[in-house]
Amino acid sequence: MSDRPSLWIQNAVVDGETTSLLIRNGVIEALGSDAGPSPGEEVDRTLDGSGLHAFPGLRNGHTHAAMTLFRGWGDDMPLMEWLQTRIWPAEALLTPEDVYDGVRLACLEMIRSGTTYLNDLYWHHETVARAIDEMGLRAHVGAAFLDFGDAEKARAQQKMVLRHLDSRKELGARIRITLGPHAIYTVRPESLAWLGELSESEDLPLHIHLSETRGEVDDCLSAHGVRPAHFLEELGVVSPRLIAAHGVYLDAEELALLADAGATVVTNPNANLKLATGGIFDYAGARRAGLRVILGTDGPASNNDLDMIEEMKTVALIQKHRAEDATCLPAREALELATENPAEVLGWGPGRIEEGAPADLILVDFSHPSTQPLHDPVSALVYAANGRAVHTTICDGRVLMHRWEVEGIDEEEIIARAGATARRVVEKAEPSGRPR
Ligand SMILES: [Zn+2]
């Protein structure tokens, strides 16, 4: 039984072949040139896929969706100054309803740019989960844990995490949770070890920022005598459940350590470039070590958008540049970083369009001059398109957008509310004496 209407997509292009798809109960039931309902059988909805190319829904491996509220506020600042003088003071003012407004705007942007899954890490996790669920996407929702070295704060944060675990019962089927220590420099070692144990006993992914800046590595070396990945290893946090965002300054030994443990690194090239973190994640080294890599945008205040199609291009370009090798990270591999690789570690099907897979997919229109002529659809998607080429977005068998029309969602209201909320929060948080 399901509230999801059955869906018949006719004559789309899948891997170069004209293919129809029959979707029932959120699953791709049949796929092929003659796939469709049996004679006399009815489907609830038929979509004409002629001329459109189907791809798996894109998966954003690391983001903070509510930070749409701060998009374009505090650009062009160094990372730590930006966090300390803008983002953290403003975030301290956010109410759950503010977060709700920001997350809904983010989901709208993701639906419009072909993303059907996000791995989020933020405050007010219950509200994040509610907003994403209402918008029809899938997600892992992490509750951001920061204690700033304070034992009392740590106890309060532990209670918050236990509430987060309890909340699992009330979550919709498309939402799962992660543990979310912010970083080694904002969370006490004791708290990291506690979260590592919890990740094991509850079998939960542990999502953390790791080795994002040179300063983080230097501070870790002088405080603990080891580099960040080894520090996490000593605390029992390195495991197949570890999802480490950035990893910009991981050296070869750390890459091998993470690979051997079966951990995952999320690379976020646009945010690293914008915040000038200096290093570039060693993707070629990670591949050699056998480390699993996935792709994310990071928060929309440090990117400044959630367009995974643009992110695929950036990761391919920056890695070719770093390796001085144009064959490094070809387009198909960039697509895997946003589809199959995250599916392998975070679940919800194979991240491919195939029979029996969850119906999370997009239809892309390559008729725009910038994607013509069409020698290779994957090349067109990764190197020439952007999110605006996404024509239809389907998640869990539900049509969230078709012909660029978002369905069942009041788009104007979401944009207006997020705008009003963002202005109110930013006005309150504006640092006095800020140079203008
Ligand atoms: Zn982040």
Side-chain angles (χ1 to χ4, degrees):
M1 298 302 285
S2 169
D3 58 342
R4 285 159 292 186
S6 54
L7 201 58
W8 184 18
I9 303 173
Q10 295 175 321
N11 303 319
V13 183
V14 180
D15 293 331
E17 304 284 332
T18 299
T19 306
S20 294
L21 299 94
L22 184 64
I23 294 168
R24 276 206 193 93
N25 299 322
V27 173
I28 301 171
E29 200 176 274
L31 183 70
S33 56
D34 55 359
S38 315
E41 205 182 356
E42 301 234 333
V43 282
D44 297 312
R45 187 167 177 187
T46 302
L47 303 182
D48 179 11
S50 306
L52 300 171
H53 290 253
F55 293 95
L58 303 174
R59 301 181 184 218
N60 192 340
H62 172 72
T63 191
H64 318 285
M67 293 184 80
T68 48
L69 297 175
F70 307 126
R71 190 190 333 251
W73 179 67
D75 289 333
D76 313 321
M77 290 171 75
L79 171 64
M80 287 324 285
E81 187 188 336
W82 173 71
L83 285 175
Q84 286 166 0
T85 68
R86 293 295 179 99
I87 296 304
W88 288 339
E91 284 179 337
L93 299 170
L94 290 178
T95 66
E97 281 312 297
D98 298 338
V99 165
Y100 178 78
D101 293 343
V103 174
R104 288 204 308 162
L105 178 62
C107 291
L108 187 58
E109 182 184 354
M110 286 185 269
I111 291 167
R112 285 207 161 276
S113 53
T115 292
T116 55
Y117 165 88
L118 62 150
N119 185 24
D120 195 78
L121 182 55
Y122 211 59
W123 320 87
H124 304 299
H125 50 90
E126 296 99 337
T127 311
V128 174
R130 174 165 63 96
I132 295 170
D133 193 41
E134 283 176 14
M135 295 292 286
L137 298 175
R138 286 188 209 272
H140 272 90
V141 173
F145 187 115
L146 294 90
D147 59 26
F148 296 104
D150 179 330
E152 198 150 322
K153 275 203 184 95
R155 275 191 293 278
Q157 291 277 281
Q158 289 187 353
K159 280 191 194 146
M160 178 275 296
V161 169
L162 296 175
R163 279 201 311 275
H164 189 39
L165 296 189
D166 276 347
S167 75
R168 276 181 292 188
K169 300 183 280 289
E170 283 109 61
L171 296 174
R174 290 188 314 276
I175 310 289
R176 295 175 186 164
I177 69 167
T178 64
L179 302 173
H182 172 263
I184 59 169
Y185 57 91
T186 45
V187 183
R188 304 172 85 217
E190 295 84 349
S191 300
L192 289 167
W194 181 78
L195 288 162
E197 272 173 37
L198 204 57
S199 155
E200 186 175 0
S201 62
E202 297 284 331
D203 193 22
L204 286 174
L206 185 144
H207 184 186
I208 187 171
H209 296 93
L210 182 68
S211 203
E212 183 176 2
T213 64
R214 198 178 281 121
E216 177 185 337
V217 178
D218 292 346
D219 291 350
C220 186
L221 276 167
S222 57
H224 310 292
V226 288
R227 297 176 69 87
H230 291 281
F231 178 57
L232 285 187
E233 156 90 315
E234 284 176 7
L235 294 169
V237 174
V238 176
S239 81
R241 297 171 300 279
L242 174 65
I243 313 287
H246 299 299
V248 171
Y249 285 99
L250 294 171
D251 71 8
E253 266 184 50
E254 290 177 289
L255 293 174
L257 167 73
L258 297 176
D260 291 347
T264 300
V265 168
V266 195
T267 184
N268 304 272
N270 276 325
N272 296 152
L273 288 167
K274 179 164 184 264
L275 291 163
T277 48
I280 299 171
F281 172 62
D282 182 5
Y283 177 79
R287 286 268 303 186
R288 277 195 302 276
L291 177 61
R292 186 192 295 110
V293 181
I294 67 177
L295 184 65
T297 59
D298 210 346
S302 53
N303 186 303
N304 283 5
D305 60 51
L306 295 163
D307 187 334
M308 285 293 289
I309 297 178
E310 285 182 5
E311 205 72 35
M312 290 193 289
K313 177 172 181 173
T314 307
V315 78
L317 299 194
I318 197 173
Q319 292 299 339
K320 289 173 197 304
H321 182 72
R322 185 187 195 281
E324 297 185 44
D325 176 4
T327 70
C328 179
L329 223 172
R332 197 158 293 277
E333 212 166 295
L335 182 58
E336 285 167 7
L337 294 185
T339 53
E340 294 179 35
N341 295 13
E344 205 177 281
V345 57
L346 291 156
W348 279 309
R352 293 185 294 273
I353 294 181
E354 59 186 39
E355 280 180 14
D360 299 357
L361 58 102
I362 59 177
L363 300 176
V364 178
D365 181 347
F366 288 129
S367 66
H368 191 275
S370 64
T371 40
Q372 288 292 322
L374 191 66
H375 295 296
D376 174 354
V378 175
S379 162
L381 184 73
V382 172
Y383 292 132
N386 61 37
R388 291 180 182 86
V390 177
H391 166 287
T392 295
T393 300
I394 295 168
C395 181
D396 197 23
R398 290 185 181 84
V399 179
L400 303 181
M401 179 177 79
H402 183 54
R403 284 204 192 95
W404 294 280
E405 290 282 331
V406 178
E407 300 193 356
I409 290 167
D410 187 343
E411 187 164 18
E412 280 177 26
E413 184 252 356
I414 290 174
I415 293 171
R417 265 186 65 157
T421 299
R423 277 187 294 278
R424 178 170 44 74
V425 173
V426 159
E427 257 166 43
K428 243 195 258 177
E430 192 82 351
S432 52
R434 181 175 69 95
R436 291 187 187 261

